[in-house]
Amino acid sequence: MSDKKGTVLFYPYIPKKSLKILENRLSTRWIGQGPMVDKFEKKFSQIFLNGKECVSTGSGTDALHLAYILAGIKKNDEVIAPVFTCTATNIPLLYIGAKIKFVDVDPNTMNICINDLRKKISKKTKAIVCVHYGGIPCDMSEIKKIAKKYNVKVIEDAAQALGGKYKNQNIGTISDFTIFSFQAIKHITTGDGGMLCIKDPKLIEKAKRIRWFGIDRRKKQLGIWKNDIKEVGFKYQLTDLGASIGYQSLIDFKKIISHRLKIYNIYLKNLSQNPNITCIHDFDKNKNCAAWLFTILLKRKDFLQKKLRQKNIETNQVHFRNDKYSIFKKFVKNQKFKNMDKIENRYLVLPIHTKVSEKDAKYICDLINKFI
Ligand SMILES: Cc1ncc(COP(=O)(O)O)c(C=O)c1O
């Protein structure tokens, strides 16, 4: 790989047949939410959810907002959520007016710190939100145990964990609610899109209604005139255009995940030997990582990022601790996040996507090991 060509941090996976698929779709009457969305949901449920029904959305953020509403979270309810995550995890809690209780990061996995979760949960807690950072599954047995003790709902933000497993169970089949994202640079994309997986089948119809203004779309499409809206809904649907690309990506999913894992394992093998670098990884055999990000911790992060940039290799921070954003300040008065403080200036995300070849990944490792 020449230095000139370089490697970008993210690149969308676009199936080869996309142009043809879109051409076909554009020549039908359905481009918004139509039969292709149904087909996409069905395929997704067959691959990841043992056939259980799921509800696609216009984004992972939409799916989170719906999950929080369906979990019964209301204004002023206290919700446990990770301090280190994409802001999309926490912002929909602000839509509702919930009170966020931030939990520190586990510096080994960048997931929620279970010890801090135990300290922060209380009788006032309504729900626990956890995020599988970079595709590394959280300790779901522990989280479930704690949730059971306090009788609270668990919402998994699995935006980054498509194809991940915990104790041989697919992520998406474990908790009360799980969401995925199909935003441009995720494992699969629908342009923008998301999926909401719900344990209680009784909530599916409500999820579908509040995805679409609160209207029962199916009944309406049957030409029924009697009509009412009893709950406020949103306009959070996926489109047939996006679902067409997503459907083909689901067919390609095995190939996508196996490539990402190959790149992930090259980084892990070649960088974990370096005494100046810590690889973010979980060796727990109960966890199958979905390899969305590969993150390293090191003291000379800025130096390495600059050196790699000179070789046209992009690296970045991706997420920033949420407690430092002004919109969340009211939730963090006098609170300390010791682990977050320690790693705040040390993490760096390396490129993983289907355009990174094994040769590219080895070359990036050689450069890192030369510089650090
Ligand atoms: C952890 C996490 N949660 C939620 C989201 C939101 O997903 P979307 O961009 O599809 O709204 C993302 C990604 O963007 C994410 O990485």
Side-chain angles (χ1 to χ4, degrees), residues 160-267:
Q160 308 179 358
L162 188 63
K165 288 183 190 204
Y166 182 80
K167 293 193 173 166
N168 241 358
Q169 267 183 280
N170 284 339
I171 299 291
T173 60
I174 299 168
S175 296
D176 302 297
F177 302 93
T178 307
I179 74 93
F180 295 93
S181 163
F182 312 129
Q183 163 247 3
I185 53 171
K186 291 297 188 318
H187 294 79
I188 67 162
T189 184
T190 54
D192 257 317
M195 190 63 84
L196 172 59
C197 312
I198 305 174
K199 193 145 233 178
D200 180 356
K202 290 198 292 295
L203 290 175
I204 290 277
E205 284 313 310
K206 174 164 177 172
K208 287 184 176 175
R209 270 197 316 272
I210 60 172
R211 169 176 69 174
W212 187 263
F213 302 119
I215 294 171
D216 188 332
R217 232 170 102 94
R218 216 162 277 167
K219 271 193 194 156
K220 200 169 179 205
Q221 280 168 359
L222 289 173
I224 288 169
W225 285 92
K226 209 166 143 268
N227 214 326
D228 194 11
I229 298 177
K230 291 180 181 145
E231 62 228 315
V232 176
F234 307 87
K235 192 157 189 284
Y236 279 174
Q237 85 287 5
L238 186 65
T239 68
D240 267 27
L241 290 181
S244 308
I245 309 269
Y247 185 83
Q248 184 58 41
S249 305
L250 286 177
I251 291 171
D252 298 349
F253 186 73
K254 271 196 183 141
K255 194 178 74 185
I256 299 169
I257 188 88
S258 97
H259 183 81
R260 298 188 81 98
L261 280 164
K262 243 184 236 161
I263 304 301
Y264 184 102
N265 286 321
I266 289 171
Y267 287 140

Side-chain angles (χ1 to χ4, degrees), residues 58-64 85-90 131-134 157-160 179-186 192-194 292 318-319:
S59 71
T61 313
D62 296 349
L64 278 164
T85 180
C86 174
T87 46
T89 309
N90 291 318
V131 177
H132 308 298
Y133 172 77
D157 177 342
Q160 308 179 358
I179 74 93
F180 295 93
S181 163
F182 312 129
Q183 163 247 3
I185 53 171
K186 291 297 188 318
D192 257 317
W292 189 64
V318 185
H319 303 320

Side-chain angles (χ1 to χ4, degrees), residues 40-55:
F40 175 72
E41 288 174 348
K42 225 173 238 156
K43 188 84 187 161
F44 187 94
S45 102
Q46 279 164 4
I47 300 177
F48 299 108
L49 309 176
N50 310 319
K52 210 160 188 264
E53 205 174 342
C54 50
V55 180

